[in-house]
Amino acid sequence: MKYLPIHFLLIITTLTLFGCQKSNKSSTQIDNKSYINDFELLQENPNNETSVRITSPKAIIDPTNNDIDIFESSIELLNKKGQDFKVKSGNSTLNNLTNSISVFNNVRISFLDKQDYYITTNSFDWDLNTSIIDINNPVNINFNNTRIKATNGFYDIDSSLLKIDNSEFNRYIYNVKGEEEYYVKIKSDFAKWFKKDNTLVFTSNEKQVETTINFLLTE
């Protein structure tokens, strides 16, 4: 098994290394993969003082390219203040050559300082060199009483900026009794969410941003 790059700290509770040899009259097949239980990996980025921690009950290292297939993965971005966000998914693959992570199968990105703020999608690619998360799939966003749908988007970790395309914003407004009073619907070509001050900006190219307010109050 080849060594991982030195900027990785790989913590292994149980590592099974073996070769499975199957032979017949025409061929011999050997399995040189490494099977890991209770997998944990930590990568530090000194440029922006963040680190990425990946944990999983099961992972497989392919020695031919050092790629790591991770199952039921949990990926955390850590900064000086603690956890920034967490990604849960069914599967992920760490590409050691490009220093990137492909995350797929029931992906959920949770912003830990805002319990009701999360994003779901089918998959995304995370370039650890540039701190850009590219979500080239339909995006569903939950911000408290707000729902946003978009065709795709990306999140810039360094600037805490989420950009999405072809967005539809829906927000429900409730009165003090908890009754729904009205909802706001906004359609735009582009939208930006600035995490630091929690603001949304909507823009469109050749048309105005479409806004609809439906009042649900009755006498």
mmCIF file of all heavy atoms in Angstrom, residues 125-158:
data_model
loop_
_atom_site.group_PDB
_atom_site.id
_atom_site.type_symbol
_atom_site.label_atom_id
_atom_site.label_comp_id
_atom_site.label_asym_id
_atom_site.label_seq_id
_atom_site.Cartn_x
_atom_site.Cartn_y
_atom_site.Cartn_z
ATOM 1 N N ASP A 125 -18.951 17.928 -6.050
ATOM 2 C CA ASP A 125 -17.504 17.745 -6.075
ATOM 3 C C ASP A 125 -16.862 18.864 -5.261
ATOM 4 O O ASP A 125 -17.183 20.040 -5.430
ATOM 5 C CB ASP A 125 -16.967 17.766 -7.508
ATOM 6 C CG ASP A 125 -17.473 16.587 -8.320
ATOM 7 O OD1 ASP A 125 -17.441 15.461 -7.803
ATOM 8 O OD2 ASP A 125 -17.897 16.805 -9.475
ATOM 9 N N TRP A 126 -15.917 18.505 -4.401
ATOM 10 C CA TRP A 126 -15.269 19.456 -3.508
ATOM 11 C C TRP A 126 -13.786 19.451 -3.819
ATOM 12 O O TRP A 126 -13.083 18.474 -3.579
ATOM 13 C CB TRP A 126 -15.535 19.046 -2.075
ATOM 14 C CG TRP A 126 -14.988 19.965 -1.019
ATOM 15 C CD1 TRP A 126 -14.146 21.014 -1.183
ATOM 16 C CD2 TRP A 126 -15.261 19.884 0.383
ATOM 17 N NE1 TRP A 126 -13.867 21.612 0.005
ATOM 18 C CE2 TRP A 126 -14.540 20.943 1.005
ATOM 19 C CE3 TRP A 126 -16.044 19.049 1.169
ATOM 20 C CZ2 TRP A 126 -14.580 21.148 2.372
ATOM 21 C CZ3 TRP A 126 -16.084 19.260 2.536
ATOM 22 C CH2 TRP A 126 -15.363 20.297 3.130
ATOM 23 N N ASP A 127 -13.294 20.572 -4.367
ATOM 24 C CA ASP A 127 -11.874 20.735 -4.661
ATOM 25 C C ASP A 127 -11.190 21.264 -3.406
ATOM 26 O O ASP A 127 -11.365 22.427 -3.038
ATOM 27 C CB ASP A 127 -11.683 21.694 -5.834
ATOM 28 C CG ASP A 127 -10.243 21.793 -6.298
ATOM 29 O OD1 ASP A 127 -9.341 21.423 -5.525
ATOM 30 O OD2 ASP A 127 -10.008 22.244 -7.429
ATOM 31 N N LEU A 128 -10.404 20.439 -2.748
ATOM 32 C CA LEU A 128 -9.762 20.840 -1.508
ATOM 33 C C LEU A 128 -8.645 21.852 -1.725
ATOM 34 O O LEU A 128 -8.191 22.507 -0.788
ATOM 35 C CB LEU A 128 -9.213 19.611 -0.785
ATOM 36 C CG LEU A 128 -10.261 18.592 -0.342
ATOM 37 C CD1 LEU A 128 -9.592 17.353 0.233
ATOM 38 C CD2 LEU A 128 -11.228 19.187 0.664
ATOM 39 N N ASN A 129 -8.177 22.001 -2.963
ATOM 40 C CA ASN A 129 -7.134 22.982 -3.268
ATOM 41 C C ASN A 129 -7.689 24.398 -3.337
ATOM 42 O O ASN A 129 -7.005 25.365 -2.982
ATOM 43 C CB ASN A 129 -6.460 22.640 -4.597
ATOM 44 C CG ASN A 129 -5.812 21.268 -4.583
ATOM 45 O OD1 ASN A 129 -4.916 21.007 -3.796
ATOM 46 N ND2 ASN A 129 -6.282 20.381 -5.444
ATOM 47 N N THR A 130 -8.924 24.546 -3.808
ATOM 48 C CA THR A 130 -9.513 25.874 -3.988
ATOM 49 C C THR A 130 -10.658 26.155 -3.022
ATOM 50 O O THR A 130 -11.188 27.260 -3.012
ATOM 51 C CB THR A 130 -10.047 26.022 -5.429
ATOM 52 O OG1 THR A 130 -11.081 25.049 -5.662
ATOM 53 C CG2 THR A 130 -8.937 25.802 -6.437
ATOM 54 N N SER A 131 -11.062 25.170 -2.236
ATOM 55 C CA SER A 131 -12.166 25.332 -1.277
ATOM 56 C C SER A 131 -13.486 25.661 -1.968
ATOM 57 O O SER A 131 -14.312 26.399 -1.429
ATOM 58 C CB SER A 131 -11.830 26.412 -0.228
ATOM 59 O OG SER A 131 -10.712 26.030 0.529
ATOM 60 N N ILE A 132 -13.686 25.120 -3.167
ATOM 61 C CA ILE A 132 -14.933 25.319 -3.900
ATOM 62 C C ILE A 132 -15.722 24.013 -3.932
ATOM 63 O O ILE A 132 -15.193 22.965 -4.307
ATOM 64 C CB ILE A 132 -14.674 25.790 -5.346
ATOM 65 C CG1 ILE A 132 -14.004 27.166 -5.346
ATOM 66 C CG2 ILE A 132 -15.974 25.830 -6.144
ATOM 67 C CD1 ILE A 132 -14.871 28.277 -4.786
ATOM 68 N N ILE A 133 -16.991 24.087 -3.534
ATOM 69 C CA ILE A 133 -17.903 22.952 -3.639
ATOM 70 C C ILE A 133 -18.804 23.186 -4.846
ATOM 71 O O ILE A 133 -19.589 24.131 -4.870
ATOM 72 C CB ILE A 133 -18.744 22.796 -2.362
ATOM 73 C CG1 ILE A 133 -17.848 22.430 -1.176
ATOM 74 C CG2 ILE A 133 -19.824 21.744 -2.548
ATOM 75 C CD1 ILE A 133 -18.593 22.312 0.138
ATOM 76 N N ASP A 134 -18.678 22.339 -5.859
ATOM 77 C CA ASP A 134 -19.441 22.469 -7.104
ATOM 78 C C ASP A 134 -20.633 21.520 -7.053
ATOM 79 O O ASP A 134 -20.468 20.298 -7.061
ATOM 80 C CB ASP A 134 -18.543 22.143 -8.297
ATOM 81 C CG ASP A 134 -19.245 22.326 -9.634
ATOM 82 O OD1 ASP A 134 -20.357 22.905 -9.644
ATOM 83 O OD2 ASP A 134 -18.696 21.893 -10.654
ATOM 84 N N ILE A 135 -21.838 22.090 -7.006
ATOM 85 C CA ILE A 135 -23.068 21.293 -6.940
ATOM 86 C C ILE A 135 -23.710 21.319 -8.321
ATOM 87 O O ILE A 135 -24.519 22.182 -8.640
ATOM 88 C CB ILE A 135 -24.047 21.841 -5.880
ATOM 89 C CG1 ILE A 135 -23.322 22.085 -4.553
ATOM 90 C CG2 ILE A 135 -25.203 20.869 -5.673
ATOM 91 C CD1 ILE A 135 -24.174 22.758 -3.507
ATOM 92 N N ASN A 136 -23.334 20.378 -9.163
ATOM 93 C CA ASN A 136 -23.836 20.338 -10.534
ATOM 94 C C ASN A 136 -25.057 19.437 -10.625
ATOM 95 O O ASN A 136 -25.163 18.561 -11.482
ATOM 96 C CB ASN A 136 -22.737 19.856 -11.487
ATOM 97 C CG ASN A 136 -23.074 20.114 -12.941
ATOM 98 O OD1 ASN A 136 -23.887 20.983 -13.249
ATOM 99 N ND2 ASN A 136 -22.465 19.358 -13.831
ATOM 100 N N ASN A 137 -26.001 19.660 -9.712
ATOM 101 C CA ASN A 137 -27.241 18.891 -9.617
ATOM 102 C C ASN A 137 -28.321 19.793 -9.045
ATOM 103 O O ASN A 137 -28.019 20.846 -8.469
ATOM 104 C CB ASN A 137 -27.039 17.677 -8.688
ATOM 105 C CG ASN A 137 -26.303 16.536 -9.346
ATOM 106 O OD1 ASN A 137 -26.864 15.778 -10.109
ATOM 107 N ND2 ASN A 137 -25.014 16.417 -9.034
ATOM 108 N N PRO A 138 -29.587 19.406 -9.160
ATOM 109 C CA PRO A 138 -30.636 20.186 -8.508
ATOM 110 C C PRO A 138 -30.373 20.354 -7.019
ATOM 111 O O PRO A 138 -29.912 19.430 -6.339
ATOM 112 C CB PRO A 138 -31.900 19.345 -8.760
ATOM 113 C CG PRO A 138 -31.596 18.605 -10.028
ATOM 114 C CD PRO A 138 -30.139 18.302 -9.974
ATOM 115 N N VAL A 139 -30.651 21.566 -6.533
ATOM 116 C CA VAL A 139 -30.351 21.940 -5.152
ATOM 117 C C VAL A 139 -31.661 22.269 -4.442
ATOM 118 O O VAL A 139 -32.498 22.999 -4.971
ATOM 119 C CB VAL A 139 -29.412 23.159 -5.102
ATOM 120 C CG1 VAL A 139 -29.063 23.510 -3.666
ATOM 121 C CG2 VAL A 139 -28.151 22.899 -5.912
ATOM 122 N N ASN A 140 -31.817 21.742 -3.238
ATOM 123 C CA ASN A 140 -32.953 22.087 -2.381
ATOM 124 C C ASN A 140 -32.411 22.648 -1.077
ATOM 125 O O ASN A 140 -31.609 22.004 -0.396
ATOM 126 C CB ASN A 140 -33.823 20.864 -2.114
ATOM 127 C CG ASN A 140 -34.540 20.377 -3.354
ATOM 128 O OD1 ASN A 140 -35.509 20.987 -3.802
ATOM 129 N ND2 ASN A 140 -34.065 19.289 -3.924
ATOM 130 N N ILE A 141 -32.876 23.862 -0.740
ATOM 131 C CA ILE A 141 -32.332 24.578 0.414
ATOM 132 C C ILE A 141 -33.443 24.828 1.419
ATOM 133 O O ILE A 141 -34.552 25.242 1.053
ATOM 134 C CB ILE A 141 -31.715 25.917 -0.025
ATOM 135 C CG1 ILE A 141 -30.619 25.672 -1.077
ATOM 136 C CG2 ILE A 141 -31.147 26.676 1.163
ATOM 137 C CD1 ILE A 141 -30.143 26.938 -1.756
ATOM 138 N N ASN A 142 -33.144 24.582 2.684
ATOM 139 C CA ASN A 142 -34.075 24.871 3.774
ATOM 140 C C ASN A 142 -33.436 25.886 4.707
ATOM 141 O O ASN A 142 -32.412 25.611 5.332
ATOM 142 C CB ASN A 142 -34.413 23.594 4.554
ATOM 143 C CG ASN A 142 -35.455 23.830 5.629
ATOM 144 O OD1 ASN A 142 -36.642 23.656 5.418
ATOM 145 N ND2 ASN A 142 -35.011 24.218 6.821
ATOM 146 N N PHE A 143 -34.040 27.085 4.783
ATOM 147 C CA PHE A 143 -33.591 28.105 5.707
ATOM 148 C C PHE A 143 -34.762 28.455 6.620
ATOM 149 O O PHE A 143 -35.580 29.322 6.316
ATOM 150 C CB PHE A 143 -33.126 29.365 4.972
ATOM 151 C CG PHE A 143 -31.823 29.200 4.232
ATOM 152 C CD1 PHE A 143 -31.443 30.134 3.284
ATOM 153 C CD2 PHE A 143 -30.973 28.137 4.466
ATOM 154 C CE1 PHE A 143 -30.238 30.009 2.594
ATOM 155 C CE2 PHE A 143 -29.774 27.996 3.784
ATOM 156 C CZ PHE A 143 -29.405 28.931 2.845
ATOM 157 N N ASN A 144 -34.885 27.768 7.728
ATOM 158 C CA ASN A 144 -35.957 28.002 8.684
ATOM 159 C C ASN A 144 -37.317 27.844 8.003
ATOM 160 O O ASN A 144 -37.668 26.747 7.605
ATOM 161 C CB ASN A 144 -35.794 29.387 9.324
ATOM 162 C CG ASN A 144 -36.540 29.525 10.627
ATOM 163 O OD1 ASN A 144 -37.149 28.570 11.094
ATOM 164 N ND2 ASN A 144 -36.480 30.696 11.229
ATOM 165 N N ASN A 145 -38.087 28.945 7.826
ATOM 166 C CA ASN A 145 -39.389 28.863 7.155
ATOM 167 C C ASN A 145 -39.281 29.093 5.653
ATOM 168 O O ASN A 145 -40.289 29.341 4.992
ATOM 169 C CB ASN A 145 -40.358 29.892 7.750
ATOM 170 C CG ASN A 145 -40.659 29.614 9.209
ATOM 171 O OD1 ASN A 145 -40.706 28.461 9.628
ATOM 172 N ND2 ASN A 145 -40.855 30.670 9.982
ATOM 173 N N THR A 146 -38.087 29.005 5.115
ATOM 174 C CA THR A 146 -37.833 29.321 3.713
ATOM 175 C C THR A 146 -37.385 28.075 2.958
ATOM 176 O O THR A 146 -36.566 27.302 3.464
ATOM 177 C CB THR A 146 -36.753 30.412 3.593
ATOM 178 O OG1 THR A 146 -37.183 31.579 4.300
ATOM 179 C CG2 THR A 146 -36.493 30.766 2.148
ATOM 180 N N ARG A 147 -37.930 27.905 1.749
ATOM 181 C CA ARG A 147 -37.517 26.822 0.863
ATOM 182 C C ARG A 147 -37.056 27.428 -0.453
ATOM 183 O O ARG A 147 -37.740 28.289 -1.029
ATOM 184 C CB ARG A 147 -38.668 25.850 0.596
ATOM 185 C CG ARG A 147 -39.327 25.267 1.833
ATOM 186 C CD ARG A 147 -38.429 24.295 2.566
ATOM 187 N NE ARG A 147 -39.149 23.664 3.662
ATOM 188 C CZ ARG A 147 -39.228 24.166 4.884
ATOM 189 N NH1 ARG A 147 -38.618 25.316 5.158
ATOM 190 N NH2 ARG A 147 -39.888 23.543 5.843
ATOM 191 N N ILE A 148 -35.913 26.981 -0.938
ATOM 192 C CA ILE A 148 -35.374 27.468 -2.204
ATOM 193 C C ILE A 148 -34.994 26.279 -3.069
ATOM 194 O O ILE A 148 -34.302 25.365 -2.602
ATOM 195 C CB ILE A 148 -34.138 28.370 -1.997
ATOM 196 C CG1 ILE A 148 -34.460 29.518 -1.035
ATOM 197 C CG2 ILE A 148 -33.647 28.925 -3.327
ATOM 198 C CD1 ILE A 148 -33.254 30.345 -0.648
ATOM 199 N N LYS A 149 -35.425 26.302 -4.323
ATOM 200 C CA LYS A 149 -35.045 25.283 -5.292
ATOM 201 C C LYS A 149 -34.183 25.932 -6.372
ATOM 202 O O LYS A 149 -34.427 27.077 -6.759
ATOM 203 C CB LYS A 149 -36.280 24.634 -5.928
ATOM 204 C CG LYS A 149 -37.179 23.901 -4.959
ATOM 205 C CD LYS A 149 -38.282 23.152 -5.685
ATOM 206 C CE LYS A 149 -39.223 24.120 -6.391
ATOM 207 N NZ LYS A 149 -40.365 23.424 -7.041
ATOM 208 N N ALA A 150 -33.210 25.192 -6.878
ATOM 209 C CA ALA A 150 -32.344 25.699 -7.946
ATOM 210 C C ALA A 150 -31.850 24.532 -8.781
ATOM 211 O O ALA A 150 -31.862 23.376 -8.338
ATOM 212 C CB ALA A 150 -31.173 26.479 -7.365
ATOM 213 N N THR A 151 -31.410 24.833 -10.004
ATOM 214 C CA THR A 151 -30.936 23.776 -10.889
ATOM 215 C C THR A 151 -29.524 23.316 -10.553
ATOM 216 O O THR A 151 -29.162 22.162 -10.785
ATOM 217 C CB THR A 151 -30.964 24.238 -12.358
ATOM 218 O OG1 THR A 151 -30.181 25.451 -12.487
ATOM 219 C CG2 THR A 151 -32.397 24.500 -12.809
ATOM 220 N N ASN A 152 -28.710 24.211 -9.993
ATOM 221 C CA ASN A 152 -27.328 23.893 -9.650
ATOM 222 C C ASN A 152 -26.745 25.066 -8.863
ATOM 223 O O ASN A 152 -27.405 26.093 -8.680
ATOM 224 C CB ASN A 152 -26.480 23.627 -10.910
ATOM 225 C CG ASN A 152 -26.480 24.803 -11.862
ATOM 226 O OD1 ASN A 152 -27.442 25.043 -12.594
ATOM 227 N ND2 ASN A 152 -25.397 25.572 -11.851
ATOM 228 N N GLY A 153 -25.492 24.909 -8.411
ATOM 229 C CA GLY A 153 -24.866 25.998 -7.687
ATOM 230 C C GLY A 153 -23.476 25.627 -7.219
ATOM 231 O O GLY A 153 -22.964 24.552 -7.531
ATOM 232 N N PHE A 154 -22.852 26.545 -6.474
ATOM 233 C CA PHE A 154 -21.581 26.225 -5.841
ATOM 234 C C PHE A 154 -21.428 27.056 -4.575
ATOM 235 O O PHE A 154 -22.033 28.120 -4.418
ATOM 236 C CB PHE A 154 -20.394 26.421 -6.791
ATOM 237 C CG PHE A 154 -19.998 27.847 -7.028
ATOM 238 C CD1 PHE A 154 -19.091 28.478 -6.193
ATOM 239 C CD2 PHE A 154 -20.513 28.560 -8.099
ATOM 240 C CE1 PHE A 154 -18.714 29.790 -6.410
ATOM 241 C CE2 PHE A 154 -20.140 29.870 -8.327
ATOM 242 C CZ PHE A 154 -19.236 30.491 -7.478
ATOM 243 N N TYR A 155 -20.603 26.536 -3.661
ATOM 244 C CA TYR A 155 -20.364 27.203 -2.387
ATOM 245 C C TYR A 155 -18.879 27.484 -2.252
ATOM 246 O O TYR A 155 -18.050 26.578 -2.368
ATOM 247 C CB TYR A 155 -20.847 26.321 -1.233
ATOM 248 C CG TYR A 155 -20.704 26.976 0.134
ATOM 249 C CD1 TYR A 155 -21.471 28.088 0.472
ATOM 250 C CD2 TYR A 155 -19.808 26.479 1.074
ATOM 251 C CE1 TYR A 155 -21.342 28.685 1.711
ATOM 252 C CE2 TYR A 155 -19.678 27.075 2.321
ATOM 253 C CZ TYR A 155 -20.452 28.171 2.632
ATOM 254 O OH TYR A 155 -20.325 28.769 3.868
ATOM 255 N N ASP A 156 -18.541 28.758 -2.022
ATOM 256 C CA ASP A 156 -17.163 29.187 -1.817
ATOM 257 C C ASP A 156 -16.913 29.234 -0.311
ATOM 258 O O ASP A 156 -17.459 30.087 0.396
ATOM 259 C CB ASP A 156 -16.938 30.559 -2.447
ATOM 260 C CG ASP A 156 -15.475 30.988 -2.423
ATOM 261 O OD1 ASP A 156 -14.760 30.558 -1.501
ATOM 262 O OD2 ASP A 156 -15.058 31.737 -3.310
ATOM 263 N N ILE A 157 -16.105 28.309 0.179
ATOM 264 C CA ILE A 157 -15.877 28.203 1.616
ATOM 265 C C ILE A 157 -15.157 29.425 2.155
ATOM 266 O O ILE A 157 -15.491 29.938 3.232
ATOM 267 C CB ILE A 157 -15.089 26.919 1.924
ATOM 268 C CG1 ILE A 157 -15.924 25.691 1.557
ATOM 269 C CG2 ILE A 157 -14.671 26.865 3.383
ATOM 270 C CD1 ILE A 157 -15.153 24.401 1.596
ATOM 271 N N ASP A 158 -14.165 29.942 1.431
ATOM 272 C CA ASP A 158 -13.370 31.062 1.919
ATOM 273 C C ASP A 158 -14.209 32.317 2.150
ATOM 274 O O ASP A 158 -13.999 33.050 3.118
ATOM 275 C CB ASP A 158 -12.233 31.369 0.947
ATOM 276 C CG ASP A 158 -11.186 30.269 0.914
ATOM 277 O OD1 ASP A 158 -11.121 29.484 1.884
ATOM 278 O OD2 ASP A 158 -10.444 30.175 -0.079
#
